[in-house]
Amino acid sequence: MDKPCTLLVHFDKGSAAMANEIKADLEGSDVAAKVEAMKRAVMLLLNGETLPTLFITVVRYVLPSEDHTIQKLLLLYLEIIDKRDAAGRVLPEMILICQNLRNNLQHPNEYIRGVTLRFLCRLSEPEVLEPLVPSILENLEHRHHFIRRHALSAISAIYRLPHGDQLIPDAPELVERALASEQDASARRNAFLMLCLCGQERAVAYLFSNAERVTEWPDLLQMAAVDLIRKVCRSPNRADKGRYIKIIISLLSSPSTAVVYECAGALVSLSSAPTAVRAAANTYCQLLSSQSDNNVRLILLDRLNELRTAHRDVMVDVVMDVLRALSSPNLDVKRKVLDLVLDLLTPRNVEEVVLYLKKEVVKTQSGELEKGGEYRQMLVQAIHACAVEYPEVAGSVVHLLMDFLGDTNVAAAVDVVLFVREIIETNPKLRVSMIQRLSDTFYQIRASRVCSIALWILGEYSLSLSEVESAITTIKQCLGDLPLFTLSEEGETTDSSKPTQPMVNSVTVSSRRPVVLADGTYATQSAATEAISTLPVTAGSLASTLNLRSLILSGDFFLAAVVACTLTKLVLRLEEVQPSKAEANKACTGALLVMTSILQLGLSSYLPQLIDNDSYDRIVLCVRLLCNTGDDVRKIWLQSCRQSFAKMLAEKQFRETEEMKAKSQISHAQPDDLIDFYHLKSRRGMSQLELEDEVQDDLKAATGGFSKETDDANRLNRILQLTGFSDPVYAEAFVTVHHYDIVLDVTVINRTKETLQNLCLELATMGDLKLVDRPQNYTLAPESSKQIRANIKVSSTETGVIFGNIVYETSNVMERSVVVLNDIHIDIMDYISPATCADVTFRNMWAEFEWENK
């Protein structure tokens, strides 16, 4: 049978043979040896040894010692030894201890008195405590606050014992008198806590009588007062709620951040009045800006997010205060701030928010920020979300963001180009300037995926003659001179874009390694370097603009196919807008030359690997299309692609709108619910906050805001019958699954006319489930019931099984009886919740899986 434990010390070097050594040291006169012996004795007892013969030695040789360390260890020893026999009666030897404890409570040394009083807090034997009560009460009036503090704790602990009100019947009254005259902060807190637990009316009366001076109380006492208010206001009858709220509001100006934080939480739980919620939100924002600990900031952001869920209209006003937390260097804090702010956007504040985010993007260019690339990516995603919801702000940021298309952080650059793609479709007014800017900055792009999307944008949205010609020119400049390679007389392949110089080394290096693609499959990646010139390449020279050429020569034939498709679209559109047939034919010939050069490169031995079949077929299709174009094909290439993209955006917006509608259609009130008209209420003697609180309470009552009960049918579905109706013991379990915790509330009913002794619910688990609590024994009266709670931890997402039995004894049967329980199957779906995840986020998480990287 398990025993209550108030002390735990790990000790794995003990042995039963050590008991003789301990006994010898305790009987000696060396104080240091006695201290070590007592420490070893305590640790052995805590780890399962009994040491039955040691008690008399301790009484004879340790009890008379005046050394403070020995006395403290003696109290620890007395705390953990068995004080009752097998029948539950107090051992007679304990009487020997009573006189010593009484002497300690009257000892001239304050430390001895204090630690003895603290020891009595953990004593639960009324037979030992009863003779000590007068001495404990005398210490309430001791001159030293250390003793008074622990005397109050001891009185509280004794009074809360099963029959404690018989040991000290007037404890609440004594403590109330002590509290009125006490000056020490800790002693006052202990006294107030005792009244909160054992005489709540007295504690409330004390609080109201000192309501004007609560702000002057020490922070320990203020925390206790806030806890009392929370506890009192949970009861259905909350007549004085207005007075409690006034006290909480006054405590918001406390110098203690812990008190202020607790007050803000209590205020929100007490009242839904806009004034109260606004005060709590402002308090959280002040703490957010003043606290430097990232964990504290994350907790505060969680509280603000909870406020946003219930009181969005009030939270909208503090959105700029929340944004200031972006000054934190921690990325998790920044991410939470941005997520919270995006949920608080309104037409009134969106411009201000975007302007702030724009300034933060500019800051990331300086390179001073740690992980600036990741932060920039988060900012781009946030601005993207703002622009999608409020298109009118896109124009102020899109040109700034397009400077980051060549960002070294590929993920940030991809987010920018996806943002550009969506804005250019949804904001036709910005199309001309964005296409012009994209053509000007295209050469800066270094990532293949960004190039692919940018080429698609150029191919779809270059509509006028000048735009089409500019796009074709840009692509050709980024490809460089054709052909892409030449075969020299010696049979060596060289890059034809390099000028013929005596100091050019033609070097080709390749590396082949598997990479994880977006869908989780593997592919082989090869890289080839171009000929390396020993001549210096100046900034802005030809080499710095040949981004497409470099990527294609590294073996990226998917990008080459995108180049071919983009040139095909541009040529087809040029034929529509170019009046000169000769110019159109010239552009068509140039495009065909580019495509044939790519095909020639892909089929040559210049690169370590040949062109893949998909890219080859796609480029050949483009060649055939330019040689023989029909009206139907022209329509598909010039119109259908953009129509499909517009349809995808429309479906995405429709899906989001439907989700918002579904959330707003949840019914809060039943047809026959009572509605209270607050206009008819008396307003005399009520402050503005109290009036608002009354109104909000009435509204919540009318809309079902107070009815927190879950659906009864859902509760019944989670009740599992563990035994049969004809078994002597009937048991059923209510299963609650919360994240990685499973709680079983088992109701056990004695169906017999006999008392069941040592009844124990024994549970075992199969799978990655772990039982947290050890089983305890209970005594069950005839036809009575008992609620037993079992906690189980889940260590992995696998289906597990809980099984076990109920074991008990009866007075007329010597053997123990066993009732086998039905198995409880814990399904994996019980602790997996559905959630949405963006495609880019999923790919990033997939790539970060440790087993993938191995």
Side-chain angles (χ1 to χ4, degrees), residues 425 456 461 641-651:
E425 171 62 33
W456 186 87
Y461 296 97
C641 293
R642 200 193 317 175
Q643 287 170 358
S644 298
F645 179 59
K647 187 177 178 183
M648 185 191 84
L649 290 180
E651 284 182 359

Side-chain angles (χ1 to χ4, degrees), residues 242-476:
R243 297 174 71 182
Y244 292 124
I245 292 174
K246 282 182 181 176
I247 293 171
I248 293 286
I249 291 282
S250 66
L251 285 175
L252 286 176
S253 57
S254 169
S256 167
T257 52
V259 172
V260 170
Y261 172 78
E262 289 296 330
C263 284
L267 195 57
V268 175
S269 64
L270 286 181
S271 172
S272 302
T275 306
V277 176
R278 194 174 293 112
N282 288 331
T283 301
Y284 286 140
C285 289
Q286 288 168 11
L287 291 173
L288 195 60
S289 59
S290 64
Q291 298 299 305
S292 57
D293 189 290
N294 291 326
N295 293 320
V296 173
R297 285 179 167 177
L298 289 170
I299 292 168
L300 289 166
L301 287 167
D302 283 338
R303 298 293 84 78
L304 286 168
N305 198 36
E306 289 168 8
L307 282 184
R308 191 264 315 161
T309 306
H311 310 281
R312 186 178 185 277
D313 295 342
V314 177
M315 281 297 296
V316 164
D317 298 333
V318 298
V319 67
M320 296 310 295
D321 296 324
V322 175
L323 268 178
R324 292 193 186 95
L326 287 175
S327 58
S328 168
N330 185 273
L331 281 181
D332 291 327
V333 173
K334 293 177 188 288
R335 188 176 291 109
K336 276 205 169 184
V337 168
L338 291 173
D339 289 344
L340 178 58
V341 167
L342 290 179
D343 287 330
L344 296 173
L345 289 178
T346 65
R348 283 189 297 126
N349 64 21
V350 66
E351 288 188 10
E352 207 174 356
V353 169
V354 169
L355 184 64
Y356 195 97
L357 297 179
K358 191 175 170 183
K359 290 177 181 175
E360 289 293 310
V361 171
V362 174
K363 282 183 191 174
T364 62
Q365 287 179 290
S366 63
E368 297 173 4
L369 292 173
E370 187 182 354
K371 297 185 178 177
E374 288 182 55
Y375 180 39
R376 184 156 57 245
Q377 181 187 354
M378 287 159 49
L379 290 169
V380 169
Q381 290 170 347
I383 293 172
H384 185 173
C386 295
V388 169
E389 194 170 349
Y390 299 96
E392 63 272 11
V393 301
S396 62
V397 289
V398 70
H399 293 99
L400 170 71
L401 292 183
M402 289 178 78
D403 291 338
F404 295 102
L405 285 171
D407 199 331
T408 51
N409 184 338
V410 177
V414 168
D415 282 330
V416 170
V417 79
L418 290 174
F419 171 63
V420 170
R421 187 179 70 177
E422 190 164 344
I423 295 304
I424 205 169
E425 171 62 33
T426 54
N427 286 43
K429 294 178 183 176
L430 298 174
R431 185 192 61 78
V432 176
S433 60
M434 288 173 71
I435 285 292
Q436 180 62 45
R437 187 64 177 266
L438 186 58
S439 295
D440 293 343
T441 58
F442 186 83
Y443 72 92
Q444 298 173 357
I445 300 173
R446 291 291 175 265
S448 171
R449 189 169 175 224
V450 181
C451 275
S452 301
I453 301 171
L455 285 168
W456 186 87
I457 295 170
L458 287 174
E460 287 293 337
Y461 296 97
S462 298
L463 302 180
S464 67
L465 177 61
S466 60
E467 289 168 356
V468 173
E469 289 178 340
S470 173
I472 293 174
T473 305
T474 299
I475 293 171
K476 286 186 174 179

Side-chain angles (χ1 to χ4, degrees), residues 388-657:
V388 169
E389 194 170 349
Y390 299 96
E392 63 272 11
V393 301
S396 62
V397 289
V398 70
H399 293 99
L400 170 71
L401 292 183
M402 289 178 78
D403 291 338
F404 295 102
L405 285 171
D407 199 331
T408 51
N409 184 338
V410 177
V414 168
D415 282 330
V416 170
V417 79
L418 290 174
F419 171 63
V420 170
R421 187 179 70 177
E422 190 164 344
I423 295 304
I424 205 169
E425 171 62 33
T426 54
N427 286 43
K429 294 178 183 176
L430 298 174
R431 185 192 61 78
V432 176
S433 60
M434 288 173 71
I435 285 292
Q436 180 62 45
R437 187 64 177 266
L438 186 58
S439 295
D440 293 343
T441 58
F442 186 83
Y443 72 92
Q444 298 173 357
I445 300 173
R446 291 291 175 265
S448 171
R449 189 169 175 224
V450 181
C451 275
S452 301
I453 301 171
L455 285 168
W456 186 87
I457 295 170
L458 287 174
E460 287 293 337
Y461 296 97
S462 298
L463 302 180
S464 67
L465 177 61
S466 60
E467 289 168 356
V468 173
E469 289 178 340
S470 173
I472 293 174
T473 305
T474 299
I475 293 171
K476 286 186 174 179
Q477 284 177 350
C478 292
L479 283 170
D481 297 335
L482 298 177
L484 294 169
F485 74 100
T486 56
L487 195 64
S488 62
E489 291 180 6
E490 291 81 6
E492 294 179 352
T493 54
T494 58
D495 184 349
S496 62
S497 71
K498 300 294 178 183
T500 306
Q501 294 286 348
M503 297 182 69
V504 174
N505 301 324
S506 180
V507 182
T508 302
V509 181
S510 69
S511 65
R512 300 174 70 86
R513 62 187 177 87
V515 293
V516 183
L517 299 180
D519 61 353
T521 57
Y522 292 92
T524 302
Q525 173 177 299
S526 300
T529 61
E530 298 182 53
I532 300 167
S533 172
T534 54
L535 295 173
V537 179
T538 57
S541 67
L542 189 68
S544 64
T545 62
L546 301 180
N547 54 343
L548 287 180
R549 187 186 195 92
S550 302
L551 290 166
I552 292 172
L553 285 174
S554 69
D556 192 345
F557 287 108
F558 174 79
L559 178 63
V562 175
V563 170
C565 292
T566 303
L567 286 173
T568 303
K569 287 180 188 175
L570 290 170
V571 169
L572 292 176
R573 189 162 282 119
L574 187 66
E575 290 174 359
E576 292 182 349
V577 296
Q578 173 61 269
S580 169
K581 191 74 175 173
E583 288 295 323
N585 287 339
K586 184 179 176 183
C588 181
T589 309
L592 287 169
L593 180 60
V594 170
M595 294 177 205
T596 51
S597 298
I598 292 171
L599 290 173
Q600 186 185 15
L601 173 69
L603 297 172
S604 71
S605 59
Y606 178 64
L607 296 181
Q609 84 281 6
L610 298 176
I611 186 171
D612 59 282
N613 292 334
D614 286 347
S615 300
Y616 178 82
D617 292 344
R618 207 169 170 203
I619 297 170
V620 168
L621 176 66
C622 293
V623 172
R624 287 176 179 167
L625 188 67
L626 289 179
C627 294
N628 184 15
T629 309
D631 290 339
D632 291 340
V633 176
R634 185 184 295 275
K635 183 180 178 183
I636 291 171
W637 279 72
L638 295 183
Q639 296 177 20
S640 299
C641 293
R642 200 193 317 175
Q643 287 170 358
S644 298
F645 179 59
K647 187 177 178 183
M648 185 191 84
L649 290 180
E651 284 182 359
K652 177 184 169 189
Q653 193 167 4
F654 175 75
R655 195 165 57 247
E656 290 173 354
T657 308

Side-chain angles (χ1 to χ4, degrees), residues 49 58 63 188 201 211 229 243 260 272 279 303 354 398 418 439 457 520 621 655 691 702 731 737 759 776 797 850:
E49 299 292 340
V58 169
L63 225 58
R188 289 171 72 188
E201 298 82 5
I229 291 172
R243 297 174 71 182
V260 170
S272 302
R303 298 293 84 78
V354 169
V398 70
L418 290 174
S439 295
I457 295 170
L621 176 66
R655 195 165 57 247
L691 186 64
V737 179
L759 182 140
Q776 292 188 16
T797 51
E850 189 179 351

